Amino acid sequence: MAEPPTAYSDVLARIARAAQAAGRAPGDVTLVAVSKTQPWEAVQPVLAAGQRVFGENRVQEAQSRWESDRGEIVLHLIGPLQTNKAADAVAFFDVIETLDREKLARVLADEVQKQGRKPRLYVQVNTGEEPQKAGVIPAEADGFIAACRGAYGLEPEGLMCIPPASEPAGPHFALLGKIAARNGLSKLSMGMSGDFETAIAFGATSVRVGSAVFGART
């Protein structure tokens, strides 16, 4: 295995320290290395160092990057999913983190039945109720999760959020944790390069880190 890039090693160490500070085991937090739009020259050393969980924003970009290098890679779709890409997403991704509306739930349920493939699902919650962002608003999250389970036979395993950039992240992470707890969901995808340590303190089970691992995107 190759010598890990310094930035990648630093992020892993920070995750471990944050987990320990929160009284958690470092292994309880999964690093989703956000490789979207990164050049392969930046991704390859991190892959060679042993990272196996990656996040991509777009279905086609992920297919072109990973189709021939899949191996044991676990791929998370972390960008908005259009219904016309749902079939490809179900076929290609291991985790879809951006389930946020009933039309998409219906199409995903149909594709799961057709393909016999069942990616893990997260409901995206727009904790800041920002009009430009995807995600179900907090007041509608319980009903949407119930509809996913009851009407569509889907079993989301967790929640995802992207807090407003202009606000402290902690209250948004706390809100996501409360919604998850009352709906019996065990996974929380929250925290990015600027706030993943805070997210871990609030119970994140996975953090989506791009620029701190790979450097700024060009």
Side-chain angles (χ1 to χ4, degrees):
M1 196 170 290
E3 185 71 20
T6 302
Y8 172 61
S9 295
D10 180 57
V11 168
L12 291 178
R14 288 169 63 190
I15 288 171
R17 287 195 297 269
Q20 288 166 342
R24 304 171 61 195
D28 290 346
V29 184
T30 298
L31 169 61
V32 180
V34 179
S35 48
K36 65 175 187 178
T37 74
Q38 293 286 351
W40 184 247
E41 309 85 75
V43 175
Q44 196 279 330
V46 174
L47 175 65
Q51 178 66 23
R52 291 295 177 266
V53 185
F54 291 87
E56 293 282 349
N57 248 34
R58 294 185 175 88
V59 175
Q60 284 174 303
E61 183 184 348
Q63 289 170 323
S64 64
R65 187 198 300 279
W66 295 108
E67 205 136 34
S68 60
D69 287 285
R70 195 60 188 274
E72 297 177 357
I73 298 304
V74 176
L75 279 183
H76 289 232
L77 178 63
I78 60 174
L81 178 58
Q82 302 302 316
T83 52
N84 64 352
K85 297 291 184 185
D88 287 344
V90 168
F92 198 69
F93 284 90
D94 302 289
V95 184
I96 296 171
E97 297 201 11
T98 49
L99 173 56
D100 66 348
R101 59 200 187 279
E102 289 212 33
K103 183 180 179 183
L104 180 58
R106 182 173 64 251
V107 174
L108 287 174
D110 288 346
E111 288 301 329
V112 166
Q113 289 298 315
K114 282 182 197 171
Q115 298 186 31
R117 191 172 191 277
K118 202 171 186 180
R120 290 147 50 202
L121 299 174
Y122 287 57
V123 170
Q124 182 173 354
V125 181
N126 185 347
T127 55
E129 301 190 30
E130 297 174 276
Q132 78 278 17
K133 276 187 185 169
V136 60
I137 64 171
E140 296 174 0
D142 294 359
F144 179 65
I145 294 164
C148 287
R149 290 168 166 163
Y152 304 110
L154 299 174
E155 275 298 330
E157 71 171 27
L159 302 179
M160 181 267 250
C161 76
I162 306 170
S166 59
E167 297 180 18
H172 294 272
F173 297 152
L175 174 59
L176 199 73
K178 288 176 183 175
I179 296 170
R182 68 175 179 248
N183 285 282
L185 298 172
S186 61
K187 302 293 186 182
L188 292 170
S189 172
M190 55 191 197
M192 298 185 290
S193 287
D195 57 17
F196 67 83
E197 286 142 321
T198 301
I200 291 168
F202 280 95
T205 56
S206 60
V207 293
R208 309 179 306 276
V209 183
S211 58
V213 170
F214 299 109
R217 291 188 293 275
T218 54

